Structures are given as structure tokens and as C-alpha cells.
């Protein structure tokens, strides 16, 4: 099953050093029945893109909690064995939990298919969005507009071989 794991650049650097995205259980995002119902599409690429965007929002939440992290959202697309990722049936209808799955066991970086990261030019908007996230969660429309500004930036696709360069360990 393909899952989308939200991280920060420092989290990606740690995963590169240890070989694991997390020891588990972790929260990730995937094409779940609730996400299918919400998105109203049968196109798997569109559904996976929706799951990726849900993970990007979760990455923004990680940035909001870590003021020292580089202001770029990071999502790792990884394949995990079937049965190791499951949606919480009690949260299936919660809009905040759309696409959310809990992955049991370790998620190895070797299982990563790709990494999605903001470009440098998104940093100002991502920083502003991380700062505004709490107010947006409370229903502040102006803050939500700022958060949506980060979503205007597309995460770029990187091969896993490019991780050392993304985290400043490459040539």
C-alpha cells in the first residue's frame, strides 16, 4: 500500500541517517474509503494527489510545532505491506482525518518511492502558513487564507537518490 508520510527536512535528514522514516506506529496518509467518498473520484492518480496534499498539511503542522525547522514541507511516498496501514474507523467521518492511516511497524526509507518537497521560493509562504495555522484551526478566515497560500505551491518530486542533496549531505 502506498502511504504519504509527512516530515520536515530535519526529519528527512534523520531518516536518511537511520534508514527509517519512523519506528512505528506512525500517522501517514493514503487513499482510504473516506478519502474516496470525500473526493468523489475513481481516478487513482487524483486520489493519491489528494492524499499527498493531506500529508503536506500534516507536514505544515510539524513545521508549526518546530520553529527551528526549515520552512519547507516534506512528504515521503512509501510502500508498506498490506495490512500494516489502517484508517481509524472512529475517525472516518472526521474531516481532519480524511486519508489518515496509522502504520504499524517500522517504515524503512528503502521502501520510499519518492520524496516531495517545497522549492526554496515557497519558504516565506510556508513560514507564514505555519504561523497562521493555529488561528486558521480556530476558524479565522484571514488565517485560513494565509494557510491556503502555502497550498498554492506544488511540492516537487524527487527521486530517493536525491535525498542527500535535499538535506545538505550531498556534493
Amino acid at each position: 500500500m502506498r502511504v504519504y508520510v509527512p516530515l520536515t527536512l530535519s526529519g528527512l535528514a534523520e531518516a536518511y541517517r537511520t534508514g527509517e522514516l519512523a519506528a512505528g506506529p506512525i500517522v501517514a496518509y493514503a487513499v482510504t474509503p473516506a478519502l474516496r467518498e470525500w473526493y468523489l473520484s475513481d481516478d487513482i492518480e487524483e486520489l493519491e494527489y489528494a492524499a499527498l496534499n493531506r500529508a503536506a498539511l500534516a507536514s505544515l503542522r510539524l513545521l508549526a510545532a518546530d520553529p527551528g525547522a526549515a520552512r519547507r514541507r516534506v512528504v515521503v511516498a512509501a510502500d508498506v505491506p498490506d495490512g500494516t496501514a489502517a484508517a481509524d474507523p472512529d475517525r472516518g467521518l472526521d474531516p481532519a482525518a480524511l486519508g489518515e492511516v496509522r502504520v504499524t511497524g517500522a517504515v524503512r526509507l528503502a521502501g520510499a518511492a519518492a520524496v516531495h518537497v517545497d522549492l526554496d521560493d515557497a519558504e516565506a509562504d510556508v513560514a507564514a502558513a505555519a504561523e497562521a495555522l493555529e488561528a486558521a484551526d480556530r476558524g479565522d478566515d484571514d488565517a485560513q487564507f494565509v494557510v491556503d497560500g502555502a497550498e498554492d505551491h506544488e511540492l516537487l518530486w524527487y527521486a530517493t537518490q536525491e535525498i542527500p542533496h535535499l538535506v545538505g549531505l550531498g556534493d
Side-chain angles (χ1 to χ4, degrees), residues 3 18 23 32-33 36 44 46-47 53 55 61 64 67 70 87 89 102 123 142 144 146 149 153-154 161 165:
V3 297
T18 65
T32 63
R36 284 179 186 275
I44 191 64
E46 287 180 15
L47 291 165
N53 284 327
R61 291 187 183 288
R102 185 161 306 276
E123 285 185 7
D142 291 335
Q144 186 60 54
V146 173
H153 294 276
E154 292 288 327
Q161 299 89 328
H165 299 289

Side-chain angles (χ1 to χ4, degrees), residues 14-171:
E14 180 65 18
Y16 182 72
R17 281 191 288 280
T18 65
E20 282 186 351
L21 295 173
I26 64 165
V27 173
Y29 295 81
V31 177
T32 63
L35 184 74
R36 284 179 186 275
E37 187 175 323
W38 171 73
Y39 200 74
L40 298 175
S41 175
D42 289 329
D43 184 324
I44 191 64
E45 287 183 14
E46 287 180 15
L47 291 165
E48 286 180 344
Y49 184 72
L52 170 68
N53 284 327
R54 301 295 296 174
L57 178 58
S59 176
L60 185 63
R61 291 187 183 288
L62 294 173
L63 293 173
D66 184 1
R71 302 334 245 174
R72 294 168 69 190
R73 297 168 299 162
V74 177
V75 176
V76 176
D79 295 317
V80 297
D82 289 339
T84 62
D88 182 345
D90 295 332
R91 294 194 66 201
L93 299 177
D94 179 355
L98 286 172
E100 187 179 286
V101 295
R102 185 161 306 276
V103 181
T104 58
V107 179
R108 308 275 312 147
L109 189 57
V115 180
H116 303 270
V117 181
D118 278 311
L119 278 175
D120 292 344
D121 69 355
E123 285 185 7
D125 288 339
V126 170
E131 193 71 29
L133 194 56
E134 188 176 323
D137 286 346
R138 289 191 311 266
D140 183 317
D141 290 338
D142 291 335
Q144 186 60 54
F145 181 78
V146 173
V147 171
D148 292 344
E151 293 175 6
D152 289 343
H153 294 276
E154 292 288 327
L155 296 177
L156 294 187
W157 180 95
Y158 293 91
T160 56
Q161 299 89 328
E162 296 177 273
I163 291 173
H165 299 289
L166 289 170
V167 299
L169 299 174
D171 297 306

